[in-house]
Structure formats: C-alpha cells, structure tokens
Amino acid sequence: MAKPILITGASSGIGYELAKVCAAHHHDLVLVARREERLLELRAALETAHGVQVLTYRGDLTDASTRQQFFDWTQAHSIIPYGLINNAGFGDLTPFADSSWEKQNAMLQLNIVALTHLTRLCLPGMIAQGQGRILNLASTAAFLPGAYMAVYYASKAYVLSFTEAIATELEGTGVTATTLCPGPTQSEFADRAEIKDVKLFEGKNLPTSAEVAAYGYEAMEKGQRTAVHGTTNKVLSLATRLLPRKNLADITKGMQKPA
Ligand SMILES: NC(=O)c1ccc[n+]([C@@H]2O[C@H](COP(=O)([O-])OP(=O)(O)OC[C@H]3O[C@@H](n4cnc5c(N)ncnc54)[C@H](OP(=O)(O)O)[C@@H]3O)[C@@H](O)[C@H]2O)c1
C-alpha cells in the first residue's frame, strides 16, 4: 500500500471526511468502524474517484482483543502505517450521578484506551520507517471541565496531554503527533450525545465535518502539535488559560444544561 493511513471511526462525520481528504492526497487507506456497510460504500467511492487502495475492518474498538486482532490483521496484510488517525469517539450529555456506567466506561475505553492502545501498537513500525503521522481527535472540550459531560471533557483533556507528550518524545524520529481540537461541528456526534438541543449546538451555524477534516489533514501533514479549528475556538481556548477553572465549569453548566 502507498503511504497507508489507518482511520478509526470512518463511517461518519469527521472521520468519513478525513478518509476523503487522505484519498485525494493519494494515500491508501485502512478504515475501521462498526457499520461496515458504510465503510464499503466509502471504499468503492474512494477507489473510483482517486484510484487508491482501501481496506475496511468492522470492529468495536472499545474491546481490547478487537484492537489487537485489528492490528494483527494489518500486519498479516504487511501494512506498516504511514499515518494513524484516532478519530472514533463519542460523548454523552447527562448529570454524572444519573449516567449509565456502561456508557461512561465505553466512552473511556474508546476515547482514551483505544486511542492509546492503537498508538502504542503502530508507533514502533512508524519509528522504524523513519516517517509517520499521528492525528488524535480531541476537542475544544480538552481545555476546560465540562459540567454534564464530565467524562467526555476529561477524556479529551487526556488526549491533548498524551499527544503533546508523545509529540515531544518523537522529536527527531520523523514521526509527528498532532492533536486536532474542533469546536461543535456538523456530524452525527450531537445526536448521539443527545446534545443538539443545548445552547452550545442549538441554532448555531456550525462548521462542516469536511471543513474540519481539511484543516486537520493539513495540520497533521505539517506535523503541527496542536490544531484548534476556527478563529473563535482558538481565542476561546487561549481564554481558558486566564479564567479560574471553577468559572469555566460554571460556563459549561450554563451552556449544556440538559432540558
Ligand atoms: N462533532 C463535534 O461537535 C465534535 C467536536 C469536537 C470533537 N469531536 C470529536 O471528533 C471525533 C469524530 O466525531 P464526529 O463528530 O465525526 O462524530 P460521529 O459522526 O458520531 O462519528 C463517530 C465515529 O466513531 C465511530 N465509532 C463510535 N463508536 C465506535 C466504536 N465502539 N468502535 C469503533 N468505531 C466507533 C463511529 O462509527 P460506528 O458507529 O460505525 O462504529 C463513527 O464513524 C470524535 O472523537 C469526537 O469526540 C467532535
């Protein structure tokens, strides 16, 4: 495969659009998600439009053995990734004390553990090749505590901290690690998180997943460390450094109060 990029959560939203951007830049692709029929449709479209090779893998990445089997499968296909895009993730709007533990645990497994595990599995091969790109999806949520989405915001803070740390470890190896921090974006995310009716999303003219993906791809290719999408989000993420964290949590409480 030519400079293959592995993309998790490529069946919708930002991951789907990242697959399109990567294919347009002549990367072969390995796409992972649970809804394989969507991946197969995307595969056919990308192979026709760009002449790239696309492989798909159906799997639930909250499961450690699935992640290992996926990686073993890539090795059996002699794939050493040029790029790894850890995009799969989800949120949940609910007061923590009322939340489903099963759902919060799945979120931790996907947003944190799967991202860390896949990075650990892929990195040695990338370093041995002397080149590679990692793009980890965080969020502007990474910069502050998020009332009613406590686990989600904390999971994205982890992604930011983890990726910044390995970016420094990787200096001089030819491999870079980039954290992409979108703000609220059009995708299936808000529906799934049951957040589309709160102030943060409701009635807003949100950027498309395609816009975020194009920005994220460019940042990844440049080896940028942290990429916050959109001028307002950039300003807000800087402003979080100035305000007391209690105030930040209060702001999210106002913006995200469940109906
Ligand atoms: N949209 C926003 O407002 C926003 C803002 C900031 C950051 N983000 C982050 O951007 C990333 C992409 O989200 P999105 O907005 O594109 O949402 P989305 O449209 O809901 O896409 C999420 C993707 O993750 C996959 N996924 C979910 N659970 C999975 C599992 N257990 N195993 C494997 N794949 C799984 C989904 O595929 P299947 O269901 O087919 O498995 C889907 O392809 C996430 O990490 C999200 O936290 C989103």
Side-chain angles (χ1 to χ4, degrees), residues 9 11-12 14 34-35 60-61 87 152 156 185 187 192:
S11 60
S12 70
I14 299 167
R34 294 166 302 180
R35 290 170 294 178
D60 182 340
L61 293 172
N87 162 79
Y152 178 74
K156 295 304 185 181
T185 302
S187 73
R192 287 186 173 194

Side-chain angles (χ1 to χ4, degrees), residues 8-16 32-39 59-63 86-91 106 110-111 115 136-141 152 155-156 180-190 192 195 201 206 209 212:
T8 70
S11 60
S12 70
I14 299 167
Y16 182 92
V32 194
R34 294 166 302 180
R35 290 170 294 178
E36 196 180 26
E37 64 292 349
R38 289 205 185 185
L39 297 181
D60 182 340
L61 293 172
T62 62
D63 180 55
N86 284 301
N87 162 79
F90 73 94
L110 185 64
N111 297 10
L115 173 144
N136 286 339
L137 260 288
S139 163
T140 47
Y152 178 74
S155 75
K156 295 304 185 181
L180 175 58
C181 300
T185 302
Q186 293 175 40
S187 73
E188 296 178 10
F189 175 87
R192 287 186 173 194
I195 196 177
F201 276 79
L206 302 180
S209 287
V212 171

